[in-house]
Amino acid sequence: MIVRLTEGPIELMPQTTVEEVMQNVRMIVGVRKGTVPIDRGFGIEMSAVDKPMGAASALLSAQLAKDIPTFEPRARLVSLTTERTSDGVLEPIIRIAIAEGG
């Protein structure tokens, strides 16, 4: 499965486990660390902002490799690449596998 931040709205009742896990991974990547009141450690640190693209990509990749299995244990990170959008935003493209029984 490939997860992109721009895919779909938040579903309050995902129909399948795959939809649920993919939505959870999008949430991990789309939330700024420190903004979730009950779990300040949830989300992505903004330390990569304003860094050169190569450095920002490396920082983001390292953080997601640690955070995805922590916050969504049913998702196993297969690969992570980044793509620069036309407006200069670094977008992660995350390929995950969903654990059996998950």
Side-chain angles (χ1 to χ4, degrees):
M1 308 286 149
I2 295 177
V3 179
R4 294 182 83 114
L5 288 179
T6 56
E7 289 180 358
I10 295 173
E11 288 290 333
L12 297 179
M13 304 246 338
Q15 299 298 309
T16 67
T17 300
V18 171
E19 288 176 8
E20 181 179 1
V21 171
M22 289 181 71
Q23 177 172 286
N24 291 346
V25 171
R26 279 196 310 272
M27 289 297 294
I28 293 165
V29 177
V31 171
R32 184 180 194 162
K33 192 169 274 195
T35 61
V36 177
I38 297 172
D39 190 355
R40 298 288 183 189
F42 183 85
I44 298 299
E45 287 188 29
M46 297 291 113
S47 60
V49 173
D50 294 332
K51 300 265 192 245
M53 282 293 176
S57 180
L59 286 169
L60 184 62
S61 296
Q63 185 175 2
L64 291 177
K66 179 180 66 93
D67 286 352
I68 289 173
T70 299
F71 294 113
E72 181 46 270
R74 296 173 293 181
R76 183 177 58 81
L77 186 63
V78 174
S79 69
L80 182 113
T81 58
T82 54
E83 185 176 277
R84 187 177 185 166
T85 64
S86 61
D87 56 350
V89 174
L90 190 65
E91 179 184 18
I93 301 162
I94 304 159
R95 185 179 302 269
I96 61 170
I98 298 176
E100 290 293 320

